[in-house]
Amino acid sequence: MKTKRSERLIDMTHYLLEHPHTLIPLTLFSKKYESAKSSISEDLTIVKHTFAERGIGFLETVPGAAGGVKYIPKMNKQDIEAFVNDLIDELNHSKRLLPGGYVYLSDMMGDPKWLRRIGRAIASQYMDTEVNSVMTVATKGVPIAQSVAFYLNVPFVIVRRDSKVTEGSTVSINYVSGSSFDRVEKMELSRRSLDMGSKVVIVDDFLKGGGTINGMISLIEEFNSEVVGATVIAENIFRGERSVKDYTALLKVDNVNTEDRTIEVSAGNFLSSIK
Amino acid sequence: MKTKRSERLIDMTHYLLEHPHTLIPLTLFSKKYESAKSSISEDLTIVKHTFAERGIGFLETVPGAAGGVKYIPKMNKQDIEAFVNDLIDELNHSKRLLPGGYVYLSDMMGDPKWLRRIGRAIASQYMDTEVNSVMTVATKGVPIAQSVAFYLNVPFVIVRRDSKVTEGSTVSINYVSGSSFDRVEKMELSRRSLDMGSKVVIVDDFLKGGGTINGMISLIEEFNSEVVGATVIAENIFRGERSVKDYTALLKVDNVNTEDRTIEVSAGNFLSSIK
């Protein structure tokens, strides 16, 4: 039975949202809905227009026999600005500072409402870049990596500081950790989890001296792979020269008040990286 | 400017999918689209029908002044069966067995394509239950918990075996671990991460003796909260009596061949729990 346009638009929207960054041949839709390709093309024009208009994302049309459509989740600049401001409101002056200068974020990093926005925002930065994998270090970065991976629709890999017996053989490197650059630590990645020649986006919660990100960069080199970018939720206050220069941060910690356990944050350099 | 029906259906579908298990008043849509409530009602009838027809989920209509609609992600039984069969195909006879009888799953647990299906399937089991939180233990369970939490749209919390300085004050318990019930270990949860009186779903990758899940149950009791269910990807072979009786498992490990490093799995008791 032929499907009505209204039904096609709804199901198509669902299908596209569940398959971001995936080339979908028009024939898939015309078979699914038993409809002519010309009708499907008209549907997709409406979807494309609405996705753009409503800030849902970009629908790329690839012409030709091997062509089709590709949904690229994209948060527009205005929505990202609103999101960064919401982050600032959430963190500023709230009692999130823990002993030792750590910031409590676990509630937000466990909340799908925040994670969806984090994932869409960071994925937007890499929407025009070829990415094969999202990398982070256990354990704080994992929810961020998974959220970004959902919107880029690529696997994410978790670098560990401790060897896990369930990972199989691993590649490990030593890296310099700590803001005083005086501690050498080990991190490792399961050999099976990253293909040689991958293009990798690094994500993490906080950036201080940059030791952890530098460690991941070294590890990526061991897999003959390439870092295409690094993004963190917040760059911390750091006196001295960071060992990582090329990164984007959604937020910037401006001030830490240990007495009333609050921090002050403002927008990081992420916003200016978005077209 | 009034919005066309086609545009409304597309944007509405996106909005509902991004806000599962959330009561959305009709006025939100009528304002968003500058359309009469009667038009919005008609739209929602079409959406409801298509969501049901296409196995996207269930659109619950709550009548009255405080009413609205609620999208409940639901995988139908047929799709869950197909998914469980895909899992079986992926695991059966593949060289996933690691030394010590562990099973390598990290690739699947880092792949959004698998995680979306895992999240939707497990969330379907709890679609009619009040759930406030999804709990797991670090680190293997985290991607599963996050995926289920995405579809239930509730926070997830991570129990840790090692204390993290960035968690703030924690509640810890001792539990009996290991299939021989001879090791006592500690697990803990940040005090801030779970409200008293919560209704909690426990998820994990593997179930062997049940010690870890039992530990989480004790921890949930410490928070005066309630376990509403426990679901794992696979129940392992276990000789003896499990300390946990009430759980569902997507898969069941039937046989382990240490020589050729393969396992044999079949469908677990999860399927029969789905209406």
Side-chain angles (χ1 to χ4, degrees):
Chain A
M1 198 194 74
K2 267 184 66 178
T3 320
K4 278 193 195 156
R5 166 147 294 154
S6 54
E7 193 177 333
R8 289 200 305 265
L9 292 175
I10 293 166
D11 191 61
M12 236 175 220
T13 299
H14 174 253
Y15 191 89
L16 290 165
L17 295 174
E18 291 267 303
H19 298 83
H21 287 276
T22 308
L23 185 67
I24 299 155
L26 262 53
T27 45
L28 186 146
F29 287 135
S30 66
K31 272 185 197 152
K32 201 171 195 277
Y33 309 126
E34 300 177 37
S35 303
K37 269 199 183 183
S38 56
S39 308
I40 300 293
S41 284
E42 283 168 35
D43 296 345
L44 289 167
T45 306
I46 303 170
V47 172
K48 184 180 184 140
H49 173 80
T50 307
F51 276 22
E53 192 76 16
R54 296 281 171 178
I56 299 171
F58 179 64
L59 201 66
E60 195 184 305
T61 318
V62 181
V69 286
K70 199 189 265 188
Y71 161 56
I72 295 161
K74 182 183 181 298
M75 219 162 155
N76 59 41
K77 196 152 184 167
Q78 189 184 327
D79 288 345
I80 293 180
E81 253 162 19
F83 163 56
V84 169
N85 284 330
D86 287 348
L87 277 176
I88 293 172
D89 286 346
E90 181 71 29
L91 295 187
N92 253 357
H93 310 294
S94 70
K95 294 208 178 298
R96 290 184 169 272
L97 199 68
L98 299 170
Y102 289 96
V103 181
Y104 181 81
L105 281 187
S106 300
D107 55 337
M108 297 167 74
M109 297 301 134
D111 185 344
K113 294 178 190 76
W114 283 112
L115 288 171
R116 281 197 188 91
R117 298 173 84 187
I118 288 171
R120 284 190 69 194
I122 297 179
S124 296
Q125 197 197 333
Y126 299 102
M127 58 172 277
D128 295 324
T129 316
E130 194 194 336
V131 178
N132 309 121
S133 197
V134 178
M135 176 183 280
T136 194
V137 70
T139 55
K140 296 287 169 185
V142 180
I144 302 166
Q146 180 166 345
S147 305
V148 175
F150 258 62
Y151 286 95
L152 290 177
N153 212 22
V154 297
F156 61 97
V157 296
I158 304 166
V159 173
R160 300 188 188 276
R161 294 198 178 86
D162 54 332
S163 185
K164 285 276 167 182
V165 73
T166 49
E167 289 289 336
S169 72
T170 61
V171 174
S172 75
I173 57 118
N174 294 310
Y175 70 104
V176 181
S177 149
S179 30
S180 46
F181 298 115
D182 52 4
R183 232 164 49 227
V184 174
E185 293 192 41
K186 195 173 110 165
M187 57 165 72
E188 57 189 354
L189 182 63
S190 161
R191 198 177 276 284
R192 306 197 198 197
S193 62
L194 189 66
D195 290 332
M196 294 284 158
S198 295
K199 292 176 189 299
V200 186
V201 166
I202 295 173
V203 297
D204 207 354
D205 57 347
F206 280 96
L207 174 79
K208 216 165 178 183
T212 311
I213 288 185
N214 247 333
M216 286 192 265
I217 293 172
S218 306
L219 206 45
I220 290 168
E221 283 164 4
E222 290 295 322
F223 282 82
N224 290 324
S225 292
E226 188 191 330
V227 183
V228 296
T231 302
V232 296
I233 303 294
E235 54 177 314
N236 249 327
I237 294 171
F238 182 68
R239 284 172 238 292
E241 206 171 329
R242 283 207 168 87
S243 56
V244 174
K245 303 260 182 270
D246 210 10
Y247 63 87
T248 53
L250 288 165
L251 301 175
K252 191 169 158 292
V253 178
D254 297 313
N255 207 357
V256 166
N257 308 305
T258 43
E259 207 152 300
D260 61 359
R261 291 175 38 218
T262 62
I263 55 169
E264 280 165 40
V265 298
S266 59
N269 65 350
F270 182 86
L271 260 177
S272 55
S273 76
I274 301 287
K275 280 161 260 176
Chain B
M1 199 192 75
K2 268 184 67 179
T3 319
K4 278 192 193 158
R5 167 148 292 156
S6 55
E7 194 177 333
R8 288 200 306 265
L9 292 176
I10 295 166
D11 191 61
M12 234 174 219
T13 299
H14 173 254
Y15 191 90
L16 290 165
L17 294 174
E18 291 268 302
H19 298 83
H21 287 277
T22 307
L23 185 68
I24 299 155
L26 262 53
T27 45
L28 186 146
F29 287 135
S30 66
K31 273 186 196 153
K32 202 171 194 276
Y33 308 126
E34 300 179 35
S35 303
K37 271 200 183 182
S38 56
S39 309
I40 300 294
S41 283
E42 283 168 35
D43 297 344
L44 289 168
T45 305
I46 303 170
V47 172
K48 182 178 185 145
H49 173 80
T50 307
F51 275 22
E53 193 76 16
R54 297 281 170 178
I56 299 172
F58 179 65
L59 201 66
E60 193 184 307
T61 317
V62 180
V69 286
K70 199 189 265 187
Y71 161 57
I72 295 161
K74 181 183 182 299
M75 220 161 154
N76 58 42
K77 194 153 186 167
Q78 189 184 328
D79 288 345
I80 292 179
E81 253 161 20
F83 164 56
V84 169
N85 284 329
D86 287 348
L87 277 176
I88 292 171
D89 286 346
E90 181 70 31
L91 295 187
N92 252 358
H93 310 296
S94 71
K95 294 207 178 297
R96 292 186 167 271
L97 199 67
L98 298 171
Y102 289 95
V103 181
Y104 181 81
L105 282 187
S106 299
D107 56 337
M108 297 168 73
M109 297 301 134
D111 186 342
K113 293 177 189 77
W114 284 111
L115 288 172
R116 280 196 189 90
R117 297 173 84 188
I118 289 171
R120 281 190 71 194
I122 298 179
S124 296
Q125 196 196 335
Y126 299 103
M127 59 171 278
D128 295 325
T129 316
E130 193 193 338
V131 178
N132 309 120
S133 197
V134 178
M135 177 182 280
T136 194
V137 70
T139 56
K140 297 285 171 189
V142 179
I144 303 165
Q146 181 166 345
S147 305
V148 176
F150 258 61
Y151 287 95
L152 289 177
N153 212 23
V154 297
F156 61 98
V157 297
I158 305 166
V159 173
R160 299 186 188 278
R161 293 198 178 86
D162 53 333
S163 185
K164 286 276 167 185
V165 73
T166 50
E167 290 288 336
S169 71
T170 61
V171 175
S172 76
I173 57 116
N174 293 309
Y175 70 104
V176 181
S177 150
S179 29
S180 47
F181 298 116
D182 53 4
R183 232 163 51 228
V184 174
E185 292 192 43
K186 194 173 111 165
M187 57 165 72
E188 56 188 353
L189 182 63
S190 162
R191 198 175 277 284
R192 303 197 200 197
S193 61
L194 189 66
D195 289 333
M196 294 283 159
S198 295
K199 291 176 190 297
V200 186
V201 166
I202 294 173
V203 297
D204 208 353
D205 56 348
F206 281 96
L207 174 80
K208 215 165 179 183
T212 311
I213 287 185
N214 247 334
M216 286 192 265
I217 293 172
S218 306
L219 207 43
I220 290 167
E221 284 166 4
E222 290 295 321
F223 282 81
N224 289 325
S225 292
E226 188 191 333
V227 183
V228 296
T231 301
V232 296
I233 303 295
E235 55 178 313
N236 249 327
I237 295 170
F238 183 68
R239 286 172 235 294
E241 206 171 331
R242 283 206 170 89
S243 56
V244 174
K245 303 260 181 272
D246 209 10
Y247 62 87
T248 55
L250 288 165
L251 302 174
K252 190 169 157 294
V253 178
D254 297 315
N255 207 356
V256 166
N257 309 304
T258 43
E259 210 152 297
D260 60 0
R261 290 174 40 220
T262 60
I263 55 169
E264 280 165 42
V265 298
S266 59
N269 66 349
F270 182 86
L271 260 176
S272 54
S273 77
I274 300 287
K275 279 160 261 173

